[in-house]
Amino acid sequence: MYKNHIKKLFDYLGAVIVLTMLSPLFFVVFIILFITTKNSVFYHQKRVGQGGVMFDIYKFRTLPKGTPILVGKQRIKIRKRVSRFARFLRTTSIDELPQLFNVLKGDMSLIGPRPVVPQEVELVNLRKKLGAMNVKPGLTGLAQVNGRKQLNNIQKARYDAIYAQHVSFKGDVMIILHTLPIIIERDGVRRFFEKKH
């Protein structure tokens, strides 16, 4: 019952609450990007959704318009094209917050496998094979709280499949509670300010 009905309400109410709470942050980020970028503040990109259906994901723009889509180790090539402020948005995951609008639209869930670009063929195929495509992609997920970027594609797909097979309210709450500390401690604010520029 939760997976097919209550989760939708959970996602909608959660997205509304978070958007309301973070509206001042949205406004500040919007103004800074509007002043510092020559392109639009937001950008959309095709991602693979539930059942393999493509959808447009929303993010704050952190790369110049026309930057090629690179996956895996190739991503290191675009680091020099990222400004310090944009790098801060990326390392703290603030650039991902507009995806709350994807949740409101019904393209995504608060919790689920992270949506990937179609160019990540191996991961997409592994998810299909293991049954991880049966749920909506999420802002955060089981793989994100169990290693995130340290995981290889097989490990990510397995965690995604485990989540898809055992969706529950308790599980979603636990993933949410584990997500924020991980962003701050492992991938976010501390790393950004400790890194030499």
Side-chain angles (χ1 to χ4, degrees):
M1 183 176 179
Y2 172 75
K3 180 178 180 180
N4 296 321
H5 302 288
I6 299 177
K7 185 173 173 66
K8 294 180 181 179
L9 179 61
F10 179 75
D11 287 336
Y12 185 83
L13 292 178
V16 170
I17 291 171
V18 176
L19 280 170
T20 301
M21 292 176 59
L22 297 182
S23 57
L25 175 61
F26 266 77
F27 179 74
V28 171
V29 173
F30 181 91
I31 294 300
I32 294 176
L33 288 178
F34 182 79
I35 294 173
T36 60
T37 183
K38 296 180 181 179
N39 300 302
S40 58
V41 171
F42 300 101
Y43 88 100
H44 58 85
Q45 185 183 66
K46 293 293 182 183
R47 295 291 177 97
V48 182
Q50 185 177 19
V53 177
M54 304 295 292
F55 72 99
D56 288 322
I57 198 172
Y58 305 123
K59 298 181 70 173
F60 281 120
R61 183 176 292 280
T62 57
L63 291 169
K65 192 173 183 179
T67 300
I69 297 174
L70 301 176
V71 299
K73 295 180 180 179
Q74 294 296 316
R75 290 175 178 170
I76 195 172
K77 294 181 179 181
I78 64 175
R79 285 184 180 175
K80 293 183 179 180
R81 305 185 69 177
V82 179
S83 69
R84 187 179 182 186
F85 180 67
R87 187 160 57 249
F88 172 75
L89 296 182
R90 292 166 71 91
T91 57
T92 56
S93 297
I94 292 174
D95 66 317
E96 308 280 358
L97 292 180
Q99 290 165 37
L100 288 164
F101 293 108
N102 285 113
V103 176
L104 292 179
K105 285 181 59 182
D107 297 324
M108 293 178 60
S109 174
L110 293 178
I111 312 298
R114 283 295 298 154
V116 297
V117 294
Q119 287 83 354
E120 294 193 58
V121 178
E122 180 184 42
L123 181 54
V124 171
N125 288 337
L126 284 168
R127 283 180 171 178
K128 289 179 179 178
K129 181 179 178 180
L130 296 176
M133 305 284 281
N134 298 328
V135 294
K136 292 180 182 179
L139 295 177
T140 185
L142 191 60
Q144 278 59 52
V145 298
N146 282 282
R148 201 178 181 183
K149 295 179 182 178
Q150 285 71 39
L151 303 177
N152 59 41
N153 284 339
I154 294 177
Q155 292 170 319
K156 289 178 183 177
R158 285 175 177 169
Y159 276 120
D160 294 335
I162 290 172
Y163 175 79
Q165 294 162 12
H166 300 91
V167 177
S168 69
F169 176 75
K170 181 180 178 180
D172 281 0
V173 171
M174 292 302 296
I175 290 172
I176 291 174
L177 292 177
H178 281 85
T179 295
L180 186 57
I182 288 174
I183 292 175
I184 294 174
E185 283 298 316
R186 184 180 302 169
D187 296 301
V189 177
R190 182 172 58 83
R191 188 183 69 179
F192 175 79
F193 285 109
E194 287 181 355
K195 187 175 179 180
K196 294 181 180 180
H197 299 281

